[in-house]
Amino acid sequence: MVKSKKYVLVKRSVGVPKPTDFKLEEEELPPIEENEFLAEAVFLSVDPYMRASMPNLSLGITMIGSQVAKIIESKNPKYPVGKYIVGQFGWRTHTITKLDSDPLTKIPLVILPDLGDLPASLGLGILGRPGNSAYFGFLELCDPKNGETVVVSGAAGAVGSHVGQIAKIKGCKVIGIAGSNEKGKWLLEELGFDYFINYKTENVEEELKKAALEGVDCYFDNVGGEISTIVMNQMKTYGRVSVCGSISGYNATEIPKISAPQYAIVSKQLRLEGFLVKRWADRWMEGIEQNLAWIKQGKIKYNEKVTEGFENMFDAFVDMLNGGNTGKAVVRA
Ligand SMILES: NC(=O)c1ccc[n+]([C@@H]2O[C@H](COP(=O)([O-])OP(=O)(O)OC[C@H]3O[C@@H](n4cnc5c(N)ncnc54)[C@H](OP(=O)(O)O)[C@@H]3O)[C@@H](O)[C@H]2O)c1
């Protein structure tokens, strides 16, 4: 009999999540049935959307999330023992399933291809949800052109660091906004960003004027709030904004008193579009294959903040919300 550990959501967080919002429980799993397989978590993801989704989650459920898992028992020939898969199984160590996709998001269960020397954890980053958010959310909604100026907020995170590198592949000038000079050094020296603005220590409005003398063509928005208002006020006519997330407000206990930059949107005739990456569930493998090809060609680099131990899921989650990660935050089970 296999026992699974799992984190149950017992309280919807108010402000920064607290350890008491979750309860670590054990569950005995039944024997697998025809067409089912049993997978053991190897890496688990901690992502901002988990915090953003909390107000809408039912109490008592296993906390949501994706994981890279190894198939350790199978009665389904499509999912043989030994394969590594990426599934939306939540914060749990063992899972029995027979589903080919997540019922809620329709995101397919992915059998990881042979990654050679690359870590399987990339299935949670560049080769997973964040990677596809960058690939589809930037290319489809911003439609960047050679020579254009692109601003990325949340630039040193999983999605943002990837978007900036895709923008470089497309021949754009890239300005990244993030929360520490160490992150800025990585963006400039390792990833090839052209400019970096530290939103915690610099005047974003003034620095952006210097970095984008003629204005901004594309803005990939990971953070919302004041930073996004400043960027949109400095966009060119017909600029495009891909609204991916608004992490600046996820832990907020009051509605922020920042008004949307309506005048800039109208007068510059901006095009803004929000997205949920599940929109491209039917093209999921296209993003993964392109992102893997770019890694193998040396065009996309990555960094991971790896926290050791399933029992440290909560700490890794809050650390990521607080900006402790450069690149993708993952937990090794
Ligand atoms: N629409 C979709 O389908 C979709 C899919 C994936 C992700 N997302 C969104 O994309 C954004 C980035 O996600 P990710 O997975 O790549 O996470 P991430 O950027 O790797 O991690 C979160 C980062 O947010 C930054 N941050 C925290 N508080 C902030 C604040 N008040 N203002 C500005 N930045 C803040 C921190 O970096 P600093 O040190 O720079 O503060 C932190 O490292 C999130 O908003 C997320 O919800 C959306």
Side-chain angles (χ1 to χ4, degrees):
M1 191 71 69
V2 173
K3 279 188 180 168
S4 178
K5 288 183 201 157
K6 59 179 187 178
Y7 285 84
V8 173
L9 181 70
V10 291
K11 190 165 182 291
R12 292 190 196 91
S13 304
V14 178
V16 178
K18 297 177 193 59
T20 46
D21 298 338
F22 301 89
K23 198 169 160 215
L24 187 53
E25 291 186 357
E26 255 187 18
E27 173 186 32
E28 280 199 356
L29 299 182
I32 59 169
E33 295 184 353
E34 213 46 43
N35 287 323
E36 289 184 336
F37 60 90
L38 169 66
E40 182 172 42
V42 180
F43 289 101
L44 297 106
S45 194
V46 283
D47 303 83
Y49 76 84
M50 296 168 176
R51 177 67 188 91
S53 305
M54 267 188 188
N56 302 316
L57 296 178
S58 305
L59 296 181
I61 64 158
T62 302
M63 186 57 187
I64 57 170
S66 47
Q67 59 173 253
V68 171
K70 187 177 179 185
I71 299 174
I72 56 173
E73 209 187 323
S74 179
K75 289 189 178 176
N76 185 329
K78 269 196 291 181
Y79 299 104
V81 169
K83 288 284 181 194
Y84 288 84
I85 51 171
V86 182
Q88 316 298 309
F89 300 154
W91 292 20
R92 54 185 302 136
T93 57
H94 294 81
T95 305
I96 292 176
T97 185
K98 58 181 172 189
L99 300 177
D100 294 319
S101 64
D102 177 50
L104 276 181
T105 60
K106 308 292 179 226
I107 292 175
L109 191 76
V110 173
I111 299 181
L112 280 178
D114 180 8
L115 296 180
D117 291 341
L118 298 169
S121 49
L122 291 188
L124 304 176
I126 293 188
L127 306 179
R129 267 174 111 117
N132 275 353
S133 300
Y135 175 78
F136 292 113
F138 178 55
L139 293 176
E140 298 284 325
L141 304 193
C142 282
D143 190 21
K145 308 279 190 310
N146 186 40
E148 288 189 327
T149 297
V150 173
V151 173
V152 187
S153 56
V159 179
S161 60
H162 192 164
V163 167
Q165 294 183 83
I166 297 175
K168 289 309 297 176
I169 292 170
K170 295 293 167 189
C172 301
K173 180 167 105 175
V174 181
I175 301 163
I177 305 175
S180 80
N181 289 343
E182 292 71 35
K183 292 184 179 190
K185 194 167 163 14
W186 180 60
L187 296 176
L188 295 171
E189 294 179 8
E190 301 285 327
L191 305 191
F193 279 49
D194 299 283
Y195 290 92
F196 167 69
I197 302 172
N198 182 337
Y199 76 91
K200 289 186 179 164
T201 59
E202 293 182 296
N203 181 319
V204 177
E205 188 175 356
E206 294 306 318
E207 293 305 313
L208 188 55
K209 276 184 195 151
K210 288 186 229 160
L213 287 174
E214 290 166 19
V216 175
D217 296 282
C218 303
Y219 174 42
F220 192 92
D221 183 6
N222 278 317
V223 304
E226 193 184 353
I227 291 174
S228 296
T229 299
I230 291 169
V231 177
M232 282 192 249
N233 278 326
Q234 293 194 38
M235 293 195 71
K236 291 185 192 169
T237 300
Y238 302 130
R240 288 91 66 200
V241 182
S242 175
V243 185
C244 175
S246 54
I247 193 165
S248 67
Y250 292 172
N251 281 331
T253 47
E254 288 174 17
I255 297 170
K257 294 188 179 62
I258 296 162
S259 55
Q262 298 292 355
Y263 183 75
I265 294 167
V266 174
S267 62
K268 294 163 194 284
Q269 304 182 66
L270 305 182
R271 200 180 69 209
L272 277 84
E273 190 169 343
F275 73 87
L276 292 173
V277 69
K278 66 181 180 182
R279 181 198 299 200
W280 295 287
D282 60 341
R283 292 172 63 190
W284 204 249
M285 291 314 293
E286 173 194 326
I288 290 175
E289 281 159 18
Q290 178 59 77
N291 286 327
L292 180 57
W294 277 331
I295 297 175
K296 286 184 172 167
Q297 293 158 10
K299 292 181 176 167
I300 296 275
K301 295 180 183 165
Y302 62 88
N303 193 56
E304 293 178 320
K305 167 102 188 255
V306 183
T307 300
E308 299 293 337
F310 183 71
E311 66 283 5
N312 293 318
M313 282 295 293
F314 174 80
D315 289 346
F317 178 47
V318 172
D319 178 68
M320 176 278 303
L321 292 173
N322 288 336
N325 60 309
T326 296
K328 179 72 187 101
V330 296
V331 174
R332 197 194 315 265

